Amino acid sequence: MIHGEKIGLRARHESDVSILQSELYDDVATRSRADSRPWRPIPPGAAQSPYAVSEPSDEAACFSVVESASRELVGEALLWGIDLHSRTAHIGISLRPSFRGRGFGVDVLQALCEYGFAVRGLHRLQIETLADNAPMIAAATRAGFTREGTLRRSAWVYGAYVDEAILGLLASDWTPRA
């Protein structure tokens, strides 16, 4: 497990899947803002669930986020699109509604940076988020990411094109926690 100040990143458990599916995926409007693929109905327990437990992969590292004190499931975090040649990856996080706004985002991002830079030896981590996602942009900035640009009207979200913000962090700019 990778530990943050308030959270831990651990392997996904089968018992996590139904919670993540119902609270993160089945909220169509919110999920449409978090994923570039169109939402489609997926029954609980289906192998196609984005939260299904899978074998380890060189292309992605999927974690469940748990609160350190209670071990309660906070949400999911992942490195995806891992490029072993260029040593880069993209970051994604999604917190259960009851855990949003409580300062977990920065801690999750810092733990993902530790995994990406210290464990995997990556050179660059990147976040793509909707430009109006102020909580994610603020958490990423507090975790050391730099806003690098805007992709104008690049995401189709629930009936409209919206801008995406790109944030990046290089291993040389990362400050590990003490």
Side-chain angles (χ1 to χ4, degrees):
M1 183 179 297
I2 302 286
H3 294 279
E5 291 179 9
K6 300 192 284 187
I7 58 90
L9 302 179
R10 65 157 168 76
R12 179 92 22 93
H13 295 173
E14 286 292 341
S15 59
D16 300 340
V17 176
S18 63
I19 296 167
L20 295 173
Q21 179 84 20
S22 67
E23 292 191 31
L24 300 179
Y25 188 82
D26 290 342
D27 178 350
V28 179
T30 300
R31 181 65 187 193
S32 296
R33 293 179 51 80
D35 194 336
S36 62
R37 297 167 293 191
W39 185 90
R40 59 194 172 108
I42 297 174
Q48 296 83 11
S49 170
Y51 310 107
V53 175
S54 61
E55 294 296 318
S57 161
D58 285 339
E59 292 80 33
C62 301
F63 299 96
S64 285
V65 179
V66 293
E67 187 174 25
S68 295
S70 67
R71 295 288 189 231
E72 188 174 357
L73 182 64
V74 172
E76 71 148 350
L78 63 148
L79 293 185
W80 59 275
I82 298 172
D83 179 337
L84 296 176
H85 177 72
S86 297
R87 295 178 36 226
T88 63
H90 302 265
I91 284 182
I93 70 171
S94 188
L95 305 180
R96 295 173 60 198
S98 62
F99 289 94
R100 295 176 191 153
R102 296 172 47 189
F104 289 105
V106 175
D107 203 22
V108 172
L109 289 172
Q110 290 171 332
L112 281 172
C113 288
E114 180 180 339
Y115 177 74
F117 294 135
V119 176
R120 296 293 296 261
L122 298 176
H123 164 71
R124 174 187 167 80
L125 296 175
Q126 180 170 309
I127 297 170
E128 298 91 3
T129 189
L130 299 182
D132 67 353
N133 188 350
M136 181 61 168
I137 293 169
T141 301
R142 285 195 309 272
F145 285 79
T146 300
R147 187 163 180 169
E148 297 177 335
T150 300
L151 300 175
R152 297 179 316 136
R153 300 185 196 266
S154 63
W156 178 254
V157 178
Y158 216 77
Y161 283 103
V162 297
D163 295 348
E164 286 182 284
I166 305 297
L167 298 100
L169 180 62
L170 301 178
S172 58
D173 296 332
W174 174 59
T175 305
R177 290 179 290 178

